[in-house]
Amino acid sequence: MLPPPPQEAPRPPKRVDPVPGTPFGVVHLDVPPVTSGLAIGSLVAGIASILVSLLVFCFGIAGPNLGGAWAAGAFTVLGALAGGAAIVTGLLARRQIRRPAPPPGVRFTGRGLAVAGLSCGGVGLLLSLLGLGVALVVQLT
């Protein structure tokens, strides 16, 4: 048997506008802000891009023993895709957060998460490409 859902505390209305000619009114409730899912996704993809770029460096430094440049190239593609996704979703999240919402709409927060996702994605993308360069240099020498 499932317990009943928790009772939400009633919030007072933001304002009540009377409807002329009737005994009724329109109640406007205050909608709390919501953290943007795009901003969270951007941060997760950016961190994943940095972690994958560390794998690129590990395979690049290992040299031909563990597949070297081939493995580093494969992980570079993954790191570049994750970094690009972090950058795109970070930009979309910033636009979503900046956009003003009309009163019944939901306001989004998470600007710092979006900026962190943008920067982590860019760093992960650059580190992946740098790791591929290291792998190619080690492979050729």
Side-chain angles (χ1 to χ4, degrees):
M1 185 123 186
L2 294 174
Q7 293 293 329
E8 186 176 311
R11 289 180 283 162
K14 189 171 185 179
R15 72 174 198 258
V16 178
D17 295 336
V19 177
T22 66
F24 303 106
V26 176
V27 176
H28 298 276
L29 297 176
D30 189 23
V31 179
V34 176
T35 303
S36 171
L38 287 170
I40 294 170
S42 173
L43 183 60
V44 169
I47 291 171
S49 176
I50 289 175
L51 292 176
V52 170
S53 71
L54 294 176
L55 279 176
V56 172
F57 270 106
C58 290
F59 280 114
I61 292 172
N65 300 338
L66 295 175
W70 287 104
F75 280 106
T76 299
V77 171
L78 181 62
L81 287 175
I87 291 170
V88 169
T89 55
L91 291 172
L92 289 174
R94 288 188 59 202
R95 187 170 77 179
Q96 181 186 47
I97 293 165
R98 232 185 356 245
R99 189 176 57 219
V106 176
R107 288 176 303 151
F108 289 101
T109 61
R111 183 175 181 273
L113 292 173
V115 170
L118 275 167
S119 58
C120 286
V123 167
L125 181 64
L126 290 176
L127 284 178
S128 292
L129 295 176
L130 186 64
L132 180 63
V134 167
L136 291 174
V137 167
V138 168
Q139 187 77 27
L140 293 175
T141 57

